Structures are given as C-alpha cells and as structure tokens.
Amino acid sequence: MAVHTVATPATPSQDVPAVDLGPAVALSCRECGERFPLGPVFACVSCFGPLEVAYDLPTGDPEALRAAIEAGPANIWRYAPLLPVPADVATKPSLNPGFTQLVKADHLAAELGVTGGLYVKDDSGNPTHSFKDRVVAIAVEAARAFGFTTLSCSSTGNLAGAVGAAAARAGFRSCVFIPHDLEQGKVVMAAVYGGDLVGIEGNYDDVNRFCSELIGDPLGEGWGFVNVNLRPYYGEGSKSLAYEIAEQLGWRLPDQIVIPVASGSQLTKIDKGFKELIALGLVEDRPYKIFGAQAEGCSPVSTAYKAGHDVVRPQKPDTIAKSLAIGNPADGPYVLDIARRTGGAVEDVDDAQVVDAIKLLARTEGIFAETAGGVTVGVTRKLIEAGLIDPSLTTVVLNTGDGLKTLDAVAPTTGPTATIRPDLDAFRAAGLATS
C-alpha cells in the first residue's frame, strides 16, 4: 500500500475506499477547514495545515449516552462512540489502556495551599506506564483500517515502548526510532517487546525528520508511523483523558488543568475533548482554564507565550525531562491559542525544580512520576505562587509516566537514610527510632 502524507480532496471521479472508523467521517484541515477522505495523511494539500478527524457524533439523549459509557469496559473503549475506531474495537487484540486513577491529592494540596480540590490524573497506570498507550491504541485501529503491516514512530522514549507493546499484542511488526542518548530504562522497555529499535545520532527533531524522509521512500511502503502519517488518529487518543477526568469528577469539567507540553498535541486534544463533552450535553457548559507546562531547557512554547508571540521559535533541547524535549513542537501555536483563549498560561521550571517536584509528589501522594510529571507539578506550584492558578478552584494535574523510567533524574540525591550494622544499638545510634 502506498503511503501518502499530503491529502487530496475527494472528487466524484476518485475511487475512495470505505474504511470503518466508527463516527469518524473525514479529515479536516485545522487551518483552512477543507475536508478530505479518511486515509493515512496528515497535511492539507491546499495550505499544508495539519489535519484532524471530523466526526458524526451521537445525538439525542445525553443521559442515555452517559449511561452507555458508564456501562462500557473499564478502559479507553468505553468512549468508542466518540473516537475514530470501529464499534467492535473492544473485541480486537489490544493493550486496552485507559481509565487510570484520578487521585484526590489532599496532602499535595496542603503543601501547595490548594483548598478547592486538587487531583492528579495518574497515567502511569497504563500498560506500558505512560499515556502513550492511549494514542497508540487509536493509531493501531487506523493502521488496521488502512492495511499497514509495520508500526513505527519517532519517539522520545515512552512512545517507542507503547508502539512495541501494542504491535506485539496486535500482531504487527514494529520498527521504532529514538535519539541515541535516551534514559536506559526507556531504551530497555522499548527493546524488550522484540521489534526493531533504532537509535539515531541526534535529538528528537533529527529523528522526526528522518522518519518523514522514510515515509516518502519505497523503504517505507506499508509502514504506519503513528505520530506522522497516522497522526490525525493518534492524537485523538488524548481526548480520552478529557472524557475520563470529566466522568471521574462526576460528569463535570475541572476549573483548571495543568498539562505537560512536548509536541503540544495532548493539550490541544484535551481541549477538544472538553468541547465535545459540552456539545454533547454530557457536562455543563462552564469556563475552564488550561495551563501548559514545559522544562526550562526545552521551552519554546513557554518562551513564546511570555513574549506575547504567536510564532514558536525552535530551541535545541537541554533538559533532564527528555520525554518533553521536542524543540520544534508541531502544535505549539495551537497551545498558545488555547492557553490564551481559556485564560490559562504556559510556564516552565528548571531541572532542579523538576527533581524537587518529583520528590514532593512521591512524598505527599505516593506517586512516583517521571520527569514530565515533575515538570507539571513544578509548574503547578510556580503558577500558584504567581497567582495564576486560583487555589480555591478545582485543579487537575497530569502525571503522564512512571518514575521508574527516569531513575537517573533522582538517583544522585535519593538513597538510603542510613546504613547500619544489623543490631538494635546501631539502629538507636542512627537516631531513627523516633524519626
């Protein structure tokens, strides 16, 4: 099957094969609004704007739809009527991610001075311990629909593991590409599933450019790159975070939400999910603020936001938060639009603040976040101190991955409280008996 990257409008003379992706009916350009047939494409032929999935969503009684969702499986497929997947998706081999915990973080709230309710959406509970399982699950269904045989991606780590695992479960070959200097935990997790793992000499943006070249070459025939030629479908998986948060809050939207920003796709899709819930009558139409979180060593969107710019200038990443180290974020301008439209902001924290925030979340709530989670918690604290987050309102903070993947970040300052001889006198001498 030929792999295309630029969409062509449908005309009566075209033979456009029908695909079953549930309520998805077309691809729509986010810039000019032109529509195209569903296919493995991600850019508009008219203006080269990014494409996203357009739907014919359910209409009718919101209560009936809400009841149907609540009766569904305890994973992402409970929201199948709102996602670009076939109706029988739950019967197919899948990692079945989603419906992770929304933790009421009272101890963290007390530390940060939040009185209106603070929650951590902990996506480290997914099968490969990051939110990437959500987006890959949707991309797999698109890959099936379009007849691909190999799943691939460019990745800062978590996505590589998610693709390897999902491909193994679904029966695809996988070949994924990563920067050569990723955290060892993520390298091992990506390799253990038996697919091909290729390190590229360079940073994530170099990896992504290589993958774009491979798509246009005969070598890429039959390959579905989940975050390139399948990107419109892949991105929709992040909407499930919006759906779950609203459902877990009793079918209401949070007043404020803090989301880590790498490419920016997750933030834009959570906003899209909130708007869909409002349009469907599943939640009350009320204001909400969206805040983006970046690491100071790779903060192109935060820098643009603070400068009042609409254009995001690329940066060369230099941060321990490697899962967020995308110096040229595809959705950066849309993140700026959403932060400004909702009354939110985009902020960043340095590496020391990231480590401190990882430890703070672990100490207060028993959640060991990877560096991206440290960024989000650190930015939340910074925004509260700056008066940009209202501590009297309901606030949700995202933790998108497991700290076991980024041990190097905390290992230098974390270890045994004491090392003693195996006797009570030594324990007493160490001063631990009453600590």
Side-chain angles (χ1 to χ4, degrees):
M1 175 178 179
V3 179
H4 303 288
T5 58
V6 179
T8 303
T11 67
S13 62
Q14 285 182 295
D15 181 18
V16 180
V19 295
D20 178 12
L21 290 176
V25 294
L27 295 177
S28 176
C29 177
R30 210 185 299 182
E31 290 295 325
C32 71
E34 189 163 2
R35 286 200 168 197
F36 306 91
L38 296 171
V41 292
F42 66 90
C44 173
V45 69
S46 298
C47 71
F48 294 100
L51 301 180
E52 63 178 6
V53 178
Y55 295 92
D56 181 10
L57 290 175
T59 59
D61 182 9
E63 291 296 332
L65 177 56
R66 193 180 293 122
I69 289 171
E70 292 173 347
N75 56 50
I76 192 175
W77 306 132
R78 69 199 283 116
Y79 307 108
L82 311 180
L83 295 169
V85 295
D88 64 348
V89 63
T91 67
K92 299 181 179 182
S94 168
L95 295 178
N96 298 324
F99 219 63
T100 55
Q101 292 187 82
L102 183 69
V103 178
K104 194 168 190 298
D106 290 340
H107 300 301
L108 179 61
E111 290 268 353
L112 300 182
V114 174
T115 58
L118 179 63
Y119 298 83
V120 175
K121 181 58 172 171
D122 185 14
D123 246 24
S124 66
N126 276 309
T128 69
H129 308 288
S130 90
F131 90 96
K132 292 295 187 180
D133 290 321
R134 298 174 180 273
V135 291
V136 171
I138 305 299
V140 165
E141 294 311 309
R144 284 189 176 118
F146 303 136
F148 288 117
T149 55
T150 297
L151 286 183
S152 186
C153 69
S154 53
S155 174
T156 58
N158 283 325
L159 181 57
V163 168
R169 177 68 62 85
F172 286 84
R173 177 201 175 213
S174 69
C175 181
V176 299
F177 301 88
I178 58 173
H180 69 287
D181 60 350
L182 282 187
E183 301 98 334
Q184 187 63 17
K186 290 182 180 177
V187 172
V188 172
M189 188 169 191
V192 76
Y193 299 110
D196 292 317
L197 177 67
V198 181
I200 299 292
E201 296 175 356
N203 59 33
Y204 173 81
D205 297 301
D206 298 316
V207 179
N208 203 38
R209 280 192 295 271
F210 170 79
C211 288
S212 296
E213 292 177 13
L214 182 55
I215 287 174
D217 189 275
L219 289 171
E221 184 82 11
W223 287 40
F225 286 78
V226 301
N227 57 340
V228 189
N229 58 349
L230 296 177
R231 186 176 181 83
Y233 314 94
Y234 158 94
E236 295 295 286
S238 288
K239 293 194 310 180
S240 63
L241 279 162
Y243 302 153
E244 286 178 21
I245 289 168
E247 182 179 353
Q248 290 169 326
L249 286 174
W251 292 105
R252 63 186 178 90
L253 301 182
D255 298 306
Q256 304 164 137
I257 183 167
V258 188
I259 304 167
V261 174
S263 72
S265 175
Q266 183 185 71
L267 186 148
T268 66
K269 295 307 187 230
I270 289 176
D271 178 59
K272 184 179 181 182
F274 285 165
K275 290 191 292 186
E276 287 178 353
L277 291 172
I278 292 170
L280 291 166
L282 294 175
V283 298
E284 179 187 354
D285 185 357
R286 56 195 299 272
Y288 58 87
K289 293 183 179 181
I290 293 184
F291 297 88
Q294 292 205 290
E296 184 181 278
C298 186
S299 54
V301 186
S302 173
T303 299
Y305 176 83
K306 293 175 184 178
H309 295 161
D310 296 324
V311 176
V312 177
R313 296 185 61 182
Q315 295 180 358
K316 184 175 181 180
D318 182 17
T319 173
I320 61 171
K322 294 183 179 180
S323 61
L324 302 183
I326 297 180
N328 188 18
D331 285 325
Y334 302 106
V335 171
L336 294 174
D337 291 344
I338 290 167
R340 289 167 179 156
R341 171 175 56 79
T342 64
V346 189
E347 185 54 271
D348 56 78
V349 286
D350 63 30
D351 284 355
Q353 291 170 311
V354 172
V355 173
D356 187 56
I358 291 172
K359 293 181 176 181
L360 173 63
L361 180 60
R363 173 173 57 82
T364 56
E365 300 298 340
I367 298 172
F368 185 17
E370 70 162 32
T371 48
V375 168
T376 311
V377 173
V379 163
T380 300
R381 176 163 55 183
K382 192 171 182 179
L383 291 170
I384 291 170
E385 292 171 351
L388 295 176
I389 283 182
D390 186 340
S392 70
L393 300 178
T394 301
T395 304
V396 173
V397 177
L398 263 62
N399 173 44
T400 52
D402 194 320
L404 292 174
K405 296 184 178 187
T406 56
L407 290 173
D408 290 351
V410 295
T413 57
T414 307
T417 304
T419 301
I420 63 171
R421 299 186 309 277
D423 62 65
L424 292 175
D425 289 340
F427 182 64
R428 292 188 187 96
L432 300 175
T434 58
S435 63

